[in-house]
Amino acid sequence: MKGSTLVILVVGLAVLFWQVARARAYQFGGSGKFGSLPAQHGWFAALWVLLPSLAFLAAWQINAPGMVTDAVLRDPAAAALPPTGLTRASLLAEARALANGTATGAFHGLARDLARRYATVQVRFNWIATAATLGLALSAGFAALAKVHSGFRARSQVERLVTLLLLGASLVAILTTAGILASLFWESGRFFSLVSPGQFLLGTHWSPQSIDPAAPGDSLGSLPLFWGTFFIGAGIAMAVAVPLGLLSAIYLSQYAASTTRRVLKPALEVLAGVPTVVYGYFAALTVAPAVRHLGMALGYADASGESALAAGLVMGIMIVPFISSVSDDSLAAVPSAMREASLALGATPAETVRHVLLPAALPGIAGGIMLAVSRAIGETMIVVMAASGVATLTANPFASTSTVTRQIVDLLTGEQTFDSPKTLAAFALGLALFGVTLCLNLAALGLVRRYRERYD
Amino acid sequence: MTVKMSARHVSAYYGDLRALDDVSIDIDTQHVTALIGPSGCGKSTLLRLLNRMNDAVPGARVEGSIELDGQDIHARDMDVVELRARVGMVFQKPNPFPKSIYDNVAYGPRIHGLARGRGELDAVVETSLRRAGLWDEVKDRLDDRGTALSGGQQQRLCIARALAVDPEVILMDEPCSALDPIATARIEELIGALRGRYAIAIVTHNMQQAARVSQRTAFFYAGRLVEYGDTSDIFTNPRATSTKDYITGRYG
């Protein structure tokens, strides 16, 4: 039986046991007045049917292919296989494809022989899986059903199972993050065995297209990239986003009539829903040429169509709703008593915002800005489309500038071998970027938390 | 007796809800006026109308006239900033700014440009804190945060902050409801000391407090001003049965 059919079957069994357990619980009238409800007995039985058998099935699906291959290899015909190497693997793959019916004709006689063997082994393993899964589901179900009697606390048992389920769900995300980090560290470690961290972090020359195999570190200095990243993401983008976001938050929270607010606030939030790739081509096709013309008009001969300014401006616009919503929240978190106290002393709304609301909301706003910076420097799509592929160490906003994320994309696209310093550099860049954003996020969260404590 | 503020036929609405119904009342400098009545009777609404703090409440609407020194506070040429500087307010919960004690008191004088130079500002801060009876307790730690003071001290700081702009009227909205009895007694003493210099209106839920601090008492019930007169009369010889029921603790 196929895995999906088995899952459906097990779920069907669970429904069945749910019904039976509930019906039994109804017979003895639940568990006293405040005892477990019949439905909770039902859930208890259903979860016992589901969890062990599905866990078994998942483990089986992961391990079965290997076990099948092992069994095939024990066949006398397999002795004719070459001991190692590509031919052996392709023969096995061909045999498996034949057995599954995904391939029709065999190129090798050996593959045809093995395919027959594959087919029988797979049928046997399928039967084992089906029997074991259903057996597990049924026995767990009956064991649970046997426990259903009037004194049984199904409610607390179900709660425990649910707790485990929730814990499992949260662990998946955490373990995935840990796995990603581990691979990042592993690949970066390989990179740093070829290039010294000092050379990588402090070198000012970045040209991965022309790496000298004898001294790869000479053309893999990431300083221009990090400079470009901060220049675009923390400099230009924030110069746009912070004033616009903050001022619009002040207007929306302190001045706008409630009808205006009802229209403007969702309109601003729509900006946050624009896909970054749309911002990307807006930056590349509309803003970048305009910026280039402006640069030319201002007398910058090196004004580029892939300027830092174009990417930064558009990124800033993208960040505006984020800054505005964080600032709005921070301003709203200042107790209204502060605002009233100031107004009652004869302060104007502008004076109240400047002297009372902003100072009180500042830590929250600063935290929000740091989060925004960390988002901006991790932002990829806009810079891939609008920033340059050539990394230059320049403070001229009209000149072409590249960023870390843009370079990671460049390094990993196209045909590459996965153990050259060039590709491994992408992981080192990713790790360094991750380090920066992690620090920013931690600092921002710390700021926001300390600020919350002051008023709660 | 000089009338400082007078309300004539004032009705107030929050949307469709009528919070005040045809209220006329005078407030003067010689007497402390207590506004009493059960919750929701409109006394706090009246107080907030007197310095137009209700302007910012969505859906709030006023009818009738309110005058300060004979000048309509809703008139086109009346600046709400000036009105609020002349009619100060102390709130139910102490609400010092998260700034230093000094900066709290100096806030009003600074935004209104009342003091020229640091020396003059220092003098204003000291005078205000002295009048609020807080100077001796805080004179050595003016740079401490206002929020670090005790509840009663915070409320006196808020009173000092209101006094610093030298208002003519002080409105107090249940200023002691968040304070313990000792801090309450300090505030009540203070109100007595401020009488004569400022016209004071105080909203309170505490009958004894109204009897102790005020010379005039207004009893509100369901948005109407039921009875207004000398405090001694109201408490010893109330004319309306609802007043009598309220002050004897039948309800409220």
Side-chain angles (χ1 to χ4, degrees), chain A residues 186-187 189-195 211 213 216 220 411-412 415-427:
Chain A
W186 171 248
E187 303 291 348
R190 284 172 65 194
F191 175 77
F192 286 126
S193 68
L194 301 171
V195 176
I211 294 177
L220 289 176
L411 291 172
L412 293 181
E415 284 176 47
Q416 306 288 351
T417 47
F418 260 83
D419 45 8
S420 70
K422 190 178 160 189
T423 19
L424 289 176
F427 292 99

Side-chain angles (χ1 to χ4, degrees), chain B residues 79-91:
Chain B
D79 181 2
V80 69
V81 165
E82 187 201 327
L83 170 71
R84 288 178 184 156
R86 289 171 65 188
V87 183
M89 192 161 197
V90 176
F91 295 85

Side-chain angles (χ1 to χ4, degrees), chain A residues 13-40:
Chain A
L13 274 177
V15 173
L16 196 72
F17 273 89
W18 190 87
Q19 296 282 1
V20 173
R22 196 179 60 144
R24 281 182 68 162
Y26 265 123
Q27 270 177 5
F28 57 71
S31 306
K33 195 172 171 195
F34 296 114
S36 309
L37 299 170
Q40 282 159 342

Side-chain angles (χ1 to χ4, degrees), chain A residues 337-338 340-348 351-352 355-356 359-360 454-455, chain B residues 48 53 81 84-85 87 89 91 95-99 107 111-112 145 161-162:
Chain A
M338 295 294 128
E340 292 216 313
S342 173
L343 292 176
L345 285 166
T348 64
E351 285 164 340
T352 303
H355 297 300
V356 177
R454 256 197 326 168
Y455 285 117
Chain B
R48 291 173 62 88
M53 282 305 284
V81 165
R84 288 178 184 156
V87 183
M89 192 161 197
F91 295 85
N95 56 355
F97 299 128
K99 301 171 183 286
Y107 184 83
I111 60 172
H112 293 294
R145 288 200 147 230
R161 185 176 64 185

Side-chain angles (χ1 to χ4, degrees), chain A residues 94-335:
Chain A
E94 195 183 335
R96 196 180 306 127
L98 279 171
N100 292 335
T102 46
T104 44
F107 290 109
H108 302 88
L110 185 56
R112 195 175 319 120
D113 295 341
L114 284 176
R116 238 170 275 135
R117 177 69 185 157
Y118 248 111
T120 47
V121 172
Q122 271 179 345
V123 168
R124 177 150 47 86
F125 270 73
N126 259 334
W127 275 112
I128 297 175
T130 309
T133 308
L134 292 183
L136 205 57
L138 283 171
S139 52
F142 279 118
L145 214 53
K147 283 187 164 182
V148 173
H149 54 78
S150 67
F152 180 59
R153 305 212 170 275
R155 182 166 47 206
S156 52
Q157 294 290 322
V158 169
E159 279 300 311
R160 257 212 337 244
L161 287 174
V162 167
T163 311
L164 284 177
L165 210 70
L166 298 177
L167 178 70
S170 53
L171 279 184
V172 168
I174 292 168
L175 290 178
T176 310
T177 314
I180 292 173
L181 266 184
S183 88
L184 210 52
F185 272 109
W186 171 248
E187 303 291 348
S188 302
R190 284 172 65 194
F191 175 77
F192 286 126
S193 68
L194 301 171
V195 176
S196 82
Q199 235 177 344
F200 172 69
L201 290 174
L202 301 175
T204 56
H205 180 64
W206 177 267
S207 58
Q209 286 74 24
S210 54
I211 294 177
D212 173 10
D218 289 347
S219 43
L220 289 176
S222 66
L223 201 61
L225 299 183
F226 280 97
W227 162 252
T229 301
F230 279 97
F231 188 41
I232 293 178
I236 300 172
M238 289 306 132
V240 174
V242 171
L244 286 182
L246 193 54
L247 293 180
S248 61
I250 290 172
Y251 173 72
L252 284 176
S253 66
Q254 306 298 321
Y255 289 87
S258 61
T259 43
T260 323
R261 185 181 161 85
R262 264 205 299 277
V263 176
L264 283 187
K265 208 172 149 62
L268 199 59
E269 275 154 11
V270 166
L271 267 186
V274 176
T276 53
V277 68
V278 174
Y279 279 114
Y281 60 70
F282 174 60
L285 302 180
T286 313
V287 180
V291 165
R292 182 161 176 271
H293 286 303
L294 177 70
M296 295 291 208
L298 290 176
Y300 287 98
D302 57 345
S304 161
E306 298 178 318
S307 60
L309 191 56
L313 283 178
V314 175
M315 203 185 273
I317 295 293
M318 181 191 84
I319 299 287
V320 164
F322 187 81
I323 300 269
S324 138
S325 106
V326 171
S327 308
D328 200 6
D329 288 349
S330 301
L331 287 171
V334 180

